[in-house]
Amino acid sequence: MEPNAGTAIYPLHRCKTIHLVRHAQGVHNVEGEKDHSAYMNPEFFDARVTPLGWNQVDCLREHVKKSGLAQKIELVICSPLLRTMQTAVGIFGGESYTNGISSPPLMVENAADSGRPAISSLNCPPFLAVETCRERLGVNPCDKRRSITEYHTMFPAIDFSLIENDEDVLWVPDVRETFESLAERGMKFIDWLWTRKEKEIAIVTHSGLLWHTLRMYSKECHPTVMHEVCKYFSNCELRSLVLVDRSMLWLRYL
């Protein structure tokens, strides 16, 4: 029997499974999707998740629990912006925080006027904030972050140790990051994942970074696979991919 050239086998130790999630609907999305110039509104600085967005979070959390995915994930990485951290802890965090337990919460009660209860850090994977997976930098206030000091008060159990500067030194008001730079940054982030020991990682990030990064990785794929990999992410959409340690085929759709 002749082998099928369309199949391939890879050693398991050369693969990681990554679960990519775009943040839930933010207040900036509501107006920005009607008029793109609304993203420049200063009122949307570090945009928070909307009530509809929290419903999206709750629905995805239920799916993650029922599917068994919650038990598989070893690490949650999130962009250090309010909407991504709210989404990450809402989906992958522990149950409602219980008084008297010494472990710090992932999110304090009513963080950023969310109206949400505190979220426990018990019985869930560790959470790590990484600046490399932020949204396209510059100009739009919704993509500017707060100080890490302020975030610490809202998200005590998220690990911010990889972020060097307390204030946001990456975002500037008058220069927008190029698409080429964004894709390059996203690819560096994916490469960095190989330095992690975890084999199953959830990443909560942004539509721009996801689209431009995955578009670069899927260039050599069949058109059908390319469409599945890099099509635009909806708010709070989860898409699982296999990261393969092979120079000719880095991402393969799961």
Side-chain angles (χ1 to χ4, degrees), residues 25-227:
Q25 184 193 62
V27 293
H28 62 313
N29 295 137
V30 177
E31 297 302 322
E33 291 176 2
K34 302 174 188 174
D35 177 4
H36 196 269
S37 65
Y39 286 118
M40 298 178 66
N41 190 331
E43 292 182 7
F44 297 143
F45 162 67
D46 192 20
R48 67 184 185 279
V49 168
T50 66
L52 173 60
W54 280 113
N55 288 338
Q56 294 169 340
V57 167
D58 292 338
C59 287
L60 186 53
R61 179 183 179 86
E62 189 66 18
H63 166 73
V64 165
K65 289 172 63 178
K66 285 185 175 179
S67 67
L69 182 58
Q71 286 71 45
K72 296 179 181 178
I73 291 173
E74 302 168 69
L75 174 69
V76 179
I77 294 174
C78 53
S79 160
L81 287 170
L82 184 57
R83 59 191 181 272
T84 39
M85 291 188 290
Q86 287 179 320
T87 301
V89 300
I91 296 170
F92 300 107
E95 299 300 328
S96 297
Y97 191 66
T98 303
N99 290 332
I101 296 178
S102 59
S103 179
L106 279 168
M107 188 178 81
V108 299
E109 183 179 1
N110 197 35
D113 298 320
S114 64
R116 303 284 290 195
I119 297 173
S120 173
S121 61
L122 297 173
N123 302 317
C124 64
F127 284 68
L128 180 64
V130 178
E131 290 220 278
T132 321
C133 65
R134 281 177 62 176
E135 183 58 292
R136 190 181 178 196
L137 297 165
V139 180
N140 292 350
C142 56
D143 300 326
K144 178 177 172 61
R145 71 164 171 81
R146 302 163 197 247
S147 71
I148 299 303
T149 299
E150 186 174 356
Y151 284 146
H152 261 304
T153 65
M154 293 187 281
F155 304 98
I158 292 182
D159 182 355
F160 295 97
S161 62
L162 294 183
I163 299 177
E164 297 180 359
N165 298 286
D166 188 51
E167 298 295 335
D168 189 354
V169 299
L170 300 178
W171 184 95
V172 292
D174 54 352
V175 178
R176 189 76 165 144
E177 185 178 19
T178 66
F179 293 135
E180 292 77 13
S181 175
L182 177 61
E184 181 180 358
R185 175 160 60 84
M187 294 175 76
K188 286 180 179 178
F189 170 71
I190 296 294
D191 285 346
W192 172 80
L193 292 176
W194 283 112
T195 70
R196 302 293 312 185
K197 67 181 185 300
E198 298 88 359
K199 292 292 186 180
E200 197 124 1
I201 302 173
I203 299 155
V204 183
T205 181
H206 306 268
S207 59
L209 181 126
L210 287 167
W211 192 85
H212 288 282
T213 302
L214 295 177
R215 185 168 171 268
M216 295 298 292
Y217 277 113
S218 61
K219 281 185 174 180
E220 303 302 320
C221 296
H222 184 279
T224 300
V225 175
M226 181 177 183
H227 172 71

